[in-house]
Amino acid sequence: MRIPTESATMTTPARWDEPTGISEVLAEADRAEIQGWRGPAARDGDDVPPLTVRLAALGRAFAERPADFTPERTRALFRLLEDTQAADGERYGSAVATGFLEPLLNAWDEGFDLRSVWPALGPHSRACCRAWNAFTGVPTPDWMR
């Protein structure tokens, strides 16, 4: 399981536009998160929320509106999250695990059908989910193994 190590100096990865480009739902969630962070008097170029916070907004948006995602967009989103965990270093992997996957698991606890998207998750994401279940004491169902 990854431990969050994000700091205020963590930059947004170059590929950040990709998740928000996958779906207007994600783009709207990101814009709203940035606007909420900056406040009503913000200007372009002002500070943005930490990556973990932005990813959490995307995770919640995905869990709240899964029907708005085609299977192709779902796979593209999880492939990008997997690639980020595998290629962009531990800090960014921690941001994905803490920011996106944990809110998704919380939504599963509240009725989100995680099983329906489980096949789209890559090995890093699946391992994070199982580790989070073990850490929180949630039984891991057979379909997650």
Side-chain angles (χ1 to χ4, degrees):
M1 179 173 163
R2 293 189 164 103
I3 305 299
T5 58
E6 182 174 357
S7 72
T9 61
M10 177 187 261
T11 59
T12 302
R15 67 172 77 176
W16 176 255
D17 289 339
E18 291 180 49
T20 57
I22 288 172
S23 160
E24 186 56 31
V25 170
L26 297 179
E28 288 173 11
D30 192 50
R31 284 191 298 268
E33 191 64 38
I34 290 170
Q35 183 61 36
W37 181 268
R38 290 177 174 170
R43 298 169 307 218
D44 283 341
D46 282 354
D47 193 25
V48 295
L51 183 59
T52 301
V53 173
R54 292 175 77 182
L55 284 165
L58 299 187
R60 288 188 305 271
F62 180 83
E64 290 168 2
R65 297 176 58 185
D68 290 343
F69 292 81
T70 64
E72 294 79 20
R73 288 183 180 190
T74 297
R75 285 190 300 272
L77 173 61
F78 285 105
R79 186 172 36 255
L80 177 63
L81 295 171
E82 187 70 15
D83 290 348
T84 299
Q85 291 178 85
D88 288 341
E90 184 70 22
R91 292 174 65 199
Y92 294 107
S94 293
V96 168
T98 302
F100 192 93
L101 296 174
E102 287 180 23
L104 204 63
L105 288 164
N106 291 336
W108 174 49
D109 291 341
E110 297 174 8
F112 169 70
D113 184 12
L114 181 59
R115 186 176 189 166
S116 68
V117 298
W118 189 254
L121 275 72
H124 289 93
S125 297
R126 288 178 179 199
C128 285
C129 291
R130 288 189 296 263
W132 185 249
N133 284 350
F135 177 74
T136 59
V138 172
T140 298
D142 289 340
W143 56 265
M144 276 189 167
R145 298 180 203 273

